[in-house]
Amino acid sequence: MDSIQDVNFTEIVMTYGPNILWAILTLVIGLWIVKLISQGIRRGLDKGETDETLKGFLVSFLTILLKILVYITALGMLGVEMTSFIAILGAAGLAVGLALSGTLQNFAGGVMILFFKPFRVGHFIEAQGHMGTVKEIQIFVTILTSPDNKTILIPNGPLATGSMTNFSRQPTRRVDWTFGIGYGDDLDKAYEVIKRLLGGDERILEDPEPFMALKELGDSSVDITVRAWVNASDYWPVYFRMNEEVYKTFDKEGLSIPFPQRDVHIHNPE
């Protein structure tokens, strides 16, 4: 009995061993070649004038496609009939497609993003409750880097069909402030001081011209709204700088910056 088993094992090894060995070699070498091809494609896209937004998507898509071809080739060396295998693969693909409808939706969303270009790599956007700079658009997800250097992955499906704010699409942005002065302070003088501070910052554009107006007579302050236009990259530096300058200058000019106050009257029945 042992001799029969030894013979059967030897026959199996002699019959299928070479095919298994070639399949393993094909798989290992094929995946290594796919890696080299992917790196070559990446370098070629980097040297060319290809849109940065397309690079991550194309590389990841072609890499997955080439890996699938390597796996199919390895299975063919094991003696698997490709016609039957493709039929099984098609049926399995249908079942998997139904199960992974969200993944397919993300793929379609990635294609829509690349076609309509609502944003590009390097743009600062807000979407799906997250804000960050677009670093890469892949097949299924878009990768953002938040202002505090966190990596955020957003599925392409909801990103393509949901609302999104692109802060980098336009070359200029409007900066809005609200400055309060106390009741009894000189309103015209406040206008003069704010106008002087705006004119002293070269980053603030002259066209459109800065705008100032009395916004509201609040409970504790007279509120002045101020609007000015800057290049998109200067938005936050100008915003913070203006707040600092107004705080320092108002006090020197005799203008008060009020805080909420409340008069309390005590009624004594006696």
Side-chain angles (χ1 to χ4, degrees), residues 39-267:
Q39 293 174 349
I41 294 173
R42 168 74 69 175
R43 286 193 295 268
L45 294 175
D46 289 338
K47 291 180 181 178
E49 297 181 355
T50 306
D51 188 346
E52 189 70 28
T53 307
L54 289 172
K55 291 181 182 178
F57 187 91
L58 290 175
V59 171
S60 57
F61 178 75
L62 292 174
T63 300
I64 292 175
L65 184 61
L66 291 173
K67 284 183 178 180
I68 291 174
L69 294 177
V70 170
Y71 289 131
I72 292 176
T73 303
L75 288 173
M77 290 184 173
L78 291 175
V80 178
E81 291 292 337
M82 285 298 100
T83 303
S84 302
F85 176 75
I86 291 174
I88 296 173
L89 187 64
L94 178 61
V96 172
L98 294 175
L100 300 177
S101 58
T103 302
L104 297 178
Q105 181 184 9
N106 291 332
F107 175 79
V111 174
M112 290 177 60
I113 290 172
L114 292 173
F115 183 77
F116 292 107
K117 291 183 171 60
F119 55 84
R120 300 174 181 271
V121 171
H123 283 186
F124 189 85
I125 67 171
E126 179 180 8
Q128 301 298 309
H130 300 284
M131 296 178 67
T133 302
V134 179
K135 290 299 180 183
E136 191 173 358
I137 301 174
Q138 296 186 352
I139 296 179
F140 303 116
V141 298
T142 293
I143 302 175
L144 307 181
T145 299
S146 67
D148 56 348
N149 207 30
K150 295 177 182 176
T151 299
I152 303 170
L153 278 69
I154 302 180
N156 286 335
L159 185 58
T161 57
S163 60
M164 184 270 300
T165 302
N166 190 334
F167 295 95
S168 303
R169 191 67 176 262
Q170 301 298 331
T172 59
R173 288 183 62 188
R174 194 185 74 187
V175 190
D176 293 5
W177 298 272
T178 298
F179 300 119
I181 60 175
Y183 280 96
D185 286 349
D186 190 336
L187 179 62
D188 292 332
K189 186 174 183 180
Y191 283 153
E192 178 186 342
V193 171
I194 295 173
K195 185 176 181 180
R196 185 173 75 243
L197 294 176
L198 291 173
D201 194 329
E202 296 180 352
R203 295 169 297 184
I204 294 177
L205 304 178
E206 297 180 358
D207 186 20
E209 184 180 356
F211 170 82
M212 291 180 293
L214 180 61
K215 177 183 179 182
E216 183 181 9
L217 301 176
D219 293 336
S220 305
S221 64
V222 177
D223 295 331
I224 302 171
T225 186
V226 180
R227 298 171 182 172
W229 289 86
V230 298
N231 293 322
S233 59
D234 292 330
Y235 180 91
W236 288 113
V238 170
Y239 177 82
F240 293 131
R241 181 63 177 173
M242 187 64 179
N243 285 334
E244 181 179 343
E245 290 296 324
V246 166
Y247 178 76
K248 292 179 179 179
T249 308
F250 269 23
D251 183 61
K252 295 178 181 179
E253 297 290 341
L255 298 169
S256 61
I257 300 178
F259 52 88
Q261 304 178 44
R262 202 176 283 271
D263 292 333
V264 179
H265 301 271
I266 301 176
H267 176 66

